[in-house]
């Protein structure tokens, strides 16, 4: 039998062979349910890992090249030092662009926290200057020296004080998500192995009869492997599909956008049922051959 024929026989099956080994409906559906639950957990964890990876890239990339300057002055005297500070900042090496943030944009940034109060116009908001930097970032000392003559009360922040700890924290969460995926994979393998042992034990008499009439161990193993592997893949497809659909319809929040997989990331989700099927195939095959060898020794 060629490899292609073997692959076709594995997926299509043989009704006559299937009837030789009676199925236990409760065990079969329990296996499907457990595989679906494990795949749902893996899909949700994978989506969280992808989201955290995107957050790390944004914070470590875009925000690393940005900074802000806050101009503190009486409200009726704030425009002049803000304009002078903007001109001075553009002369500092490493700063590629700078712009004043108008009040409407500031109110939009505060809206998620202050709600309607942010748009009343009664808040004494300072003037903000957004700075973009090149690969060679501006020296904070040079920035301070440039701001001192024109805006003595200005405060410069390059976001590093809060960005770096948050990037480190999210990176650790990624490692935890990776560890959770590994545990889910090990639990799935253990679950399928246990199911294989139960199926083989409950059909010990049938297996003994098949051996007496000349059936090889490979023939017997293939029957159990096919049944349990396809049930595991079915459950994994259900769990992955339902969880992916739930993630896809969750609306983006006001603060965090782009939650879950985006674009080509969705292709990674199909890997989960494939890995579940591979785990089922090899764990069932190993358990079946170990049990058959044990039966030979009796």
């Amino acid at each position: 039998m060629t490899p292609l024929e073997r692959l076709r026989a594995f997926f299509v099956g043989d009704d006559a062979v299937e009837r030789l080994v009676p199925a236990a409906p409760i065990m079969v559906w329990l296996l499907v349910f457990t595989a679906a639950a494990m795949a749902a957990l893996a899909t949700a964890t994978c989506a969280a890992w992808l989201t955290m990876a995107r957050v790390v890239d944004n914070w470590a990339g875009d925000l690393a090249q940005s900074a802000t300057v806050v101009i503190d002055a009486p409200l009726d005297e704030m425009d002049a030092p803000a304009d002078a500070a903007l001109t001075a900042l553009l002369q500092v090496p490493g700063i590629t662009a700078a712009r004043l943030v108008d009040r409407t944009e500031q109110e939009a940034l505060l809206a998620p926290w202050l709600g309607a109060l942010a748009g009343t116009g009664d808040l004494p908001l300072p003037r903000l200057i957004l700075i973009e930097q090149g690969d060679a970032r501006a020296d904070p000392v040079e920035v301070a020296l440039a701001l001192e003559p024109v805006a003595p009360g200005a405060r410069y922040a390059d976001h590093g004080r809060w960005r770096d700890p948050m990037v480190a924290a999210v990176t650790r969460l990624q490692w935890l998500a990776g560890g959770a995926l590994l545990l889910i994979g090990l639990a799935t393998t253990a679950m399928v192995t246990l199911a294989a042992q139960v199926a083989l034990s409950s059909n010990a008499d049938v297996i003994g009869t098949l051996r007496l009439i000349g059936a090889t161990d490979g023939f017997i193993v293939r029957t159990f492997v096919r049944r349990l592997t396809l049930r595991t893949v079915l459950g994994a497809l259900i769990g992955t599909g339902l969880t992916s659909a739930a993630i896809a319809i969750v609306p983006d929040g006001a603060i965090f956008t782009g939650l879950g997989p985006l674009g080509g990331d969705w292709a990674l989700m199909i890997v989960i049922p494939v890995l579940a099927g591979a785990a089922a195939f090899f764990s069932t095959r190993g358990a079946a051959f170990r049990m058959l060898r044990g039966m030979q020794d009796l």
Side-chain angles (χ1 to χ4, degrees), residues 162-251:
W162 64 268
R163 184 191 67 245
D164 295 342
M166 292 186 73
V167 169
V170 174
T171 301
R172 286 193 290 270
L173 288 175
Q174 281 186 280
W175 281 103
L176 289 176
L181 286 173
L182 178 61
L183 289 176
I184 291 171
L186 293 175
T188 302
T189 302
M191 174 266 299
V192 177
T193 301
L194 179 61
Q197 291 174 343
V198 171
L200 289 163
S201 298
S202 63
N203 289 284
D205 293 340
V206 176
I207 293 173
T209 302
L210 290 174
R211 277 181 157 177
L212 288 175
I213 62 176
T216 64
D217 286 353
F219 173 86
I220 298 171
V221 167
R222 281 195 299 273
T223 302
F224 285 97
V225 167
R226 178 184 179 278
R227 174 170 292 168
L228 295 180
T229 298
L230 293 183
R231 299 306 187 275
T232 302
V233 171
L234 173 62
L237 286 171
I238 293 172
T240 300
L242 291 178
T243 307
S244 297
I247 293 172
I249 63 176
V250 172

Side-chain angles (χ1 to χ4, degrees), residues 8-58:
R8 180 182 179 279
F10 181 83
F11 284 102
V12 175
D14 188 332
D15 292 339
V17 174
E18 290 289 325
R19 287 194 296 269
L20 290 176
V21 182
I26 295 179
M27 187 197 70
V28 168
W29 289 112
L30 182 61
L31 179 61
V32 172
F33 173 79
T34 307
M38 290 296 182
L41 291 174
T43 303
T45 304
C46 187
W49 189 92
L50 291 170
T51 300
M52 288 184 286
R54 193 175 305 114
V55 169
V56 168
D57 289 341
N58 290 339

Side-chain angles (χ1 to χ4, degrees), residues 46-222:
C46 187
W49 189 92
L50 291 170
T51 300
M52 288 184 286
R54 193 175 305 114
V55 169
V56 168
D57 289 341
N58 290 339
W59 287 350
D62 296 342
L63 294 181
Q65 307 300 323
S66 65
T68 56
V69 171
V70 181
I71 307 296
D72 281 328
L75 289 178
D76 55 349
E77 301 176 5
M78 198 175 292
D79 290 339
D83 293 335
L86 180 62
T87 302
L89 288 170
L90 292 173
Q91 309 304 316
V92 177
I95 295 180
T96 59
R99 69 178 182 89
L100 284 167
V101 180
D102 59 31
R103 186 177 180 90
T104 302
E105 188 175 351
Q106 286 181 270
E107 291 174 351
L109 292 172
L110 292 173
W113 288 272
L114 301 182
L117 180 62
T120 60
D122 298 329
L123 296 176
L125 301 177
R127 296 302 302 272
L128 292 180
I129 299 177
L130 291 184
I131 297 172
E132 295 181 11
Q133 306 179 82
D135 294 334
R137 297 166 63 185
D139 185 348
V141 175
E142 293 187 14
V143 174
L145 291 174
L147 292 173
E148 182 63 27
V150 296
R155 300 192 306 273
Y156 171 76
D158 66 353
H159 304 160
R161 180 176 298 179
W162 64 268
R163 184 191 67 245
D164 295 342
M166 292 186 73
V167 169
V170 174
T171 301
R172 286 193 290 270
L173 288 175
Q174 281 186 280
W175 281 103
L176 289 176
L181 286 173
L182 178 61
L183 289 176
I184 291 171
L186 293 175
T188 302
T189 302
M191 174 266 299
V192 177
T193 301
L194 179 61
Q197 291 174 343
V198 171
L200 289 163
S201 298
S202 63
N203 289 284
D205 293 340
V206 176
I207 293 173
T209 302
L210 290 174
R211 277 181 157 177
L212 288 175
I213 62 176
T216 64
D217 286 353
F219 173 86
I220 298 171
V221 167
R222 281 195 299 273

